[in-house]
Amino acid sequence: MAGRFADSAQVGTCFAGRWVLSTTLSPVTDADGRRVLVLNGPNLGRLGSREPDVYGATKFADLVSECEKTGAELGLEVEVRQTDDEAELVGWLHEAADTKTPVVLNPAAFTHYSYALRDACAQRTAPLIEIHITNPATREEFRHTSVVAAVATGTIAGFGLDSYRLALRALTTLS
Ligand SMILES: O=C1C[C@@](O)(C(=O)O)C[C@@H](O)[C@@H]1O
């Protein structure tokens, strides 16, 4: 068996069936508090070609550049990721929880039904802002429910790509 865990006081490594503890190593955390993960759920990688009348003409690659640019202006080190895979997104949220990294999350359609995502968000150890490009409350009824909202620090929706910029700005006052 091999494995590794960390909390604020100890780091342990399981080697040949024995856990070796160390209290002298630094905890696995976001050391300078400036790193931010911007996580995007299914279909958002298709921004630009996906229903441009709803989501606009900006491509996902341009959204990535815009987030990095805004982050640089705010003194944040921003990493933008996108996946269509629920398990991958849950894994990224675990990584954020384990490293105390703030998150801007557009869960896309997972917003409305993924309890796995909700439970991963509930483990957060730093601010997590749920965001949406559109305002789901003004759209189809199935979009009116967010299973994530109750475990997020806050929600920003309906400002187009500015939702991302506003969330990054909000994080500078929260973290
Ligand atoms: O994929 C998305 C995008 C969205 O999260 C938004 O950013 O407006 C809204 C969701 O309802 C939808 O499933």
Side-chain angles (χ1 to χ4, degrees):
M1 181 190 165
R4 189 161 181 273
F5 74 88
D7 62 24
S8 58
Q10 293 182 314
V11 172
T13 305
C14 188
F15 179 71
R18 282 170 186 266
W19 281 100
V20 180
L21 293 179
S22 169
T23 50
T24 55
L25 294 175
S26 306
V28 179
T29 62
D30 173 30
D32 60 7
R34 294 185 170 274
R35 186 161 174 264
V36 175
L37 281 175
V38 177
L39 304 181
N40 293 278
N43 297 302
L44 290 169
R46 295 179 59 78
L47 284 178
S49 62
R50 173 195 185 190
E51 299 179 87
D53 49 319
V54 177
Y55 295 105
T58 304
K59 292 187 172 67
F60 182 74
D62 298 326
L63 167 66
V64 173
S65 313
E66 281 303 312
C67 286
E68 289 170 352
K69 189 172 149 228
T70 302
E73 286 163 10
L74 296 169
L76 301 172
E77 184 198 317
V78 171
E79 184 180 341
V80 185
R81 301 180 189 170
Q82 188 275 329
T83 182
D84 293 340
D85 185 305
E86 186 182 28
E88 187 167 35
L89 192 49
V90 165
W92 290 343
L93 288 162
H94 292 170
E95 175 193 331
D98 289 346
T99 55
K100 297 184 170 58
T101 303
V103 171
V104 172
L105 173 65
N106 186 343
F110 291 148
T111 308
H112 313 302
Y113 66 89
S114 173
Y115 296 127
L117 200 67
R118 182 253 180 242
D119 286 351
C121 291
Q123 296 171 53
R124 68 180 176 79
T125 52
L128 181 151
I129 302 183
E130 175 189 353
I131 67 141
H132 300 281
I133 297 166
T134 64
N135 181 356
T138 64
R139 300 180 61 194
E140 302 96 318
E141 202 168 336
F142 76 88
R143 297 185 204 275
H144 296 181
T145 298
S146 167
V147 299
V148 169
V151 291
T153 309
T155 302
I156 296 172
F159 296 94
L161 298 189
D162 277 342
S163 293
Y164 289 83
R165 296 188 191 94
L166 290 166
L168 289 168
R169 186 167 295 280
L171 278 180
T172 62
T173 63
L174 287 168
S175 42

Short mmCIF file of all heavy atoms in Angstrom, two decimals, residues 60-70:
data_model
loop_
_atom_site.label_atom_id
_atom_site.label_comp_id
_atom_site.label_asym_id
_atom_site.label_seq_id
_atom_site.Cartn_x
_atom_site.Cartn_y
_atom_site.Cartn_z
N PHE A 60 -13.61 29.84 -26.09
CA PHE A 60 -13.10 29.45 -24.78
C PHE A 60 -11.65 29.89 -24.60
O PHE A 60 -11.27 30.37 -23.52
CB PHE A 60 -13.24 27.93 -24.56
CG PHE A 60 -12.77 27.51 -23.21
CD1 PHE A 60 -13.54 27.78 -22.08
CD2 PHE A 60 -11.55 26.88 -23.03
CE1 PHE A 60 -13.10 27.43 -20.81
CE2 PHE A 60 -11.10 26.53 -21.77
CZ PHE A 60 -11.88 26.79 -20.65
N ALA A 61 -10.85 29.75 -25.66
CA ALA A 61 -9.43 30.13 -25.56
C ALA A 61 -9.30 31.61 -25.20
O ALA A 61 -8.39 32.00 -24.45
CB ALA A 61 -8.72 29.84 -26.88
N ASP A 62 -10.22 32.43 -25.72
CA ASP A 62 -10.17 33.86 -25.41
C ASP A 62 -10.61 34.12 -23.96
O ASP A 62 -10.09 35.02 -23.29
CB ASP A 62 -11.04 34.65 -26.38
CG ASP A 62 -10.53 34.50 -27.81
OD1 ASP A 62 -9.30 34.39 -27.98
OD2 ASP A 62 -11.37 34.44 -28.74
N LEU A 63 -11.57 33.31 -23.50
CA LEU A 63 -11.98 33.41 -22.10
C LEU A 63 -10.80 33.11 -21.18
O LEU A 63 -10.57 33.81 -20.18
CB LEU A 63 -13.13 32.43 -21.81
CG LEU A 63 -13.46 32.21 -20.34
CD1 LEU A 63 -14.01 33.47 -19.70
CD2 LEU A 63 -14.44 31.06 -20.16
N VAL A 64 -10.02 32.08 -21.55
CA VAL A 64 -8.84 31.73 -20.75
C VAL A 64 -7.89 32.93 -20.67
O VAL A 64 -7.45 33.33 -19.59
CB VAL A 64 -8.11 30.50 -21.35
CG1 VAL A 64 -6.80 30.23 -20.63
CG2 VAL A 64 -9.02 29.26 -21.29
N SER A 65 -7.61 33.53 -21.85
CA SER A 65 -6.69 34.69 -21.86
C SER A 65 -7.24 35.84 -21.02
O SER A 65 -6.48 36.49 -20.28
CB SER A 65 -6.48 35.23 -23.27
OG SER A 65 -6.23 34.19 -24.14
N GLU A 66 -8.55 36.08 -21.14
CA GLU A 66 -9.16 37.18 -20.39
C GLU A 66 -9.04 36.95 -18.88
O GLU A 66 -8.77 37.88 -18.12
CB GLU A 66 -10.64 37.33 -20.78
CG GLU A 66 -10.85 38.07 -22.09
CD GLU A 66 -10.21 39.46 -22.06
OE1 GLU A 66 -10.43 40.21 -21.09
OE2 GLU A 66 -9.48 39.80 -23.01
N CYS A 67 -9.28 35.71 -18.45
CA CYS A 67 -9.17 35.39 -17.02
C CYS A 67 -7.74 35.57 -16.54
O CYS A 67 -7.49 36.12 -15.45
CB CYS A 67 -9.63 33.95 -16.74
SG CYS A 67 -11.41 33.74 -16.84
N GLU A 68 -6.78 35.13 -17.36
CA GLU A 68 -5.37 35.27 -16.97
C GLU A 68 -4.99 36.75 -16.89
O GLU A 68 -4.29 37.17 -15.97
CB GLU A 68 -4.48 34.53 -17.96
CG GLU A 68 -4.61 33.01 -17.82
CD GLU A 68 -3.94 32.22 -18.95
OE1 GLU A 68 -3.48 32.85 -19.94
OE2 GLU A 68 -3.89 30.99 -18.84
N LYS A 69 -5.50 37.52 -17.86
CA LYS A 69 -5.20 38.96 -17.89
C LYS A 69 -5.79 39.65 -16.65
O LYS A 69 -5.11 40.41 -15.96
CB LYS A 69 -5.78 39.56 -19.17
CG LYS A 69 -5.35 40.96 -19.43
CD LYS A 69 -5.82 41.41 -20.82
CE LYS A 69 -6.08 42.90 -20.80
NZ LYS A 69 -7.33 43.32 -21.38
N THR A 70 -7.05 39.36 -16.37
CA THR A 70 -7.70 39.96 -15.20
C THR A 70 -6.96 39.54 -13.93
O THR A 70 -6.73 40.35 -13.03
CB THR A 70 -9.18 39.52 -15.11
OG1 THR A 70 -9.83 39.92 -16.30
CG2 THR A 70 -9.88 40.14 -13.92
#
